[in-house]
Amino acid sequence: MEGEELTEQETALYDRQIRVWGADAQRRLTRAAILVYGINGAVAEFCKNIVLAGVGSLTLVDDRGVTEEALSANFLIPPDETLYEGKSLAELCSDSLKDFNPMVRVSAERGDISGFSGDFYSKFDVVVVSCCTLTTKKLINDKCRRLSKRVAFYSADCRYSSGEIFVDLHSYKYTKNKLDEAIECELQYPSFEEATAVSWSKLPRKMSKLYFAMRVIEKFEEKEGRSPGGVSITDLPAVLKLKNELCEAQSLKESQIPDALLERLVSSQIEFPPVCAILGGVLGQEVIKAISGKGDPLKNFFLFDAFDGKGVIEDISSRDA
């Protein structure tokens, strides 16, 4: 992300945000390359936010076609159905995003991202994934961690009225201001696989119930070979059965994962747009922090439930006890 100074045109266009986070942070942002895989409603919000902020380039990968579920939350999909033929979701969203900020290079790629080589990922500074299986999420995170350069990894998932963001910044150094003094800080992040492998019995007693519920749905999709978001209300009995099995295996009280919460998560395959806006806003804010190196980053899960309107940050790392 190092490079030349901002151009006169960039300085004029991004004047207001330069006043907020400074010219150096904006320079880093305009030189950064971001890869996004899987475009749901929350990720569409993120893409809009990061393009308006002036990221250098944004590459989208999503070979799926347009569905009714996607239309309900993804405002980047054009209303004209005649444009859909022969185009992937990534290509349609790419065309829309170019209109938000012509100074940002927006492009679309085709292919199975899990099969892309490390050299492909090394072209980016940030990788954001969504709408992918548990196995794919772990695989892409691992590929990012194996690179010689630090590539920040994020995952974002929205299930009806609730959602989750995971952050892996590897070994991350940043600056924060305290009493007009700049303080250098460093955080160590676990991978998604390492974080979710932490025994539930070792997590804090007041741990977010949504965290456990998201893991149950994720495990169910993996066990049954479902596509991400492919669980419906008809699956509820099997989901509850799996919950009981996981609670017993993890020595967790079943009351920590309320049946009513799981029922809400599987009650609809459509994303709730207000939740998408919140997740996309938080994700955009965190990516800007990571690129600029300014401000306390989120570590390492953000969970939001529209039922109580609360957003919770949970730091889940390996614990010895």
Side-chain angles (χ1 to χ4, degrees), residues 6 10-11 13-19 21-32 52-56 101 288 291-292 294:
L6 293 170
E10 289 170 334
T11 302
L13 180 62
Y14 304 127
D15 176 68
R16 290 188 177 183
Q17 53 207 54
I18 288 173
R19 295 170 189 265
W21 53 57
D24 182 61
Q26 187 63 46
R27 180 186 62 79
R28 289 172 178 268
L29 188 61
T30 55
R31 304 298 176 257
L52 289 175
V55 68
N101 187 346
I288 290 173
I291 292 172
S292 66
K294 294 185 177 182

Side-chain angles (χ1 to χ4, degrees), residues 51 93-107:
V51 165
C93 293
S94 172
D95 291 341
S96 298
L97 284 166
K98 290 174 183 177
D99 294 332
F100 282 86
N101 187 346
M103 293 189 69
V104 176
R105 299 182 301 279
V106 183
S107 62

Side-chain angles (χ1 to χ4, degrees), residues 19-59:
R19 295 170 189 265
V20 175
W21 53 57
D24 182 61
Q26 187 63 46
R27 180 186 62 79
R28 289 172 178 268
L29 188 61
T30 55
R31 304 298 176 257
I34 296 177
L35 171 67
V36 168
Y37 172 68
I39 310 168
N40 58 11
V43 172
E45 290 280 358
F46 161 74
C47 291
K48 177 258 295 180
N49 293 337
I50 207 72
V51 165
L52 289 175
V55 68
S57 68
L58 177 65
T59 301

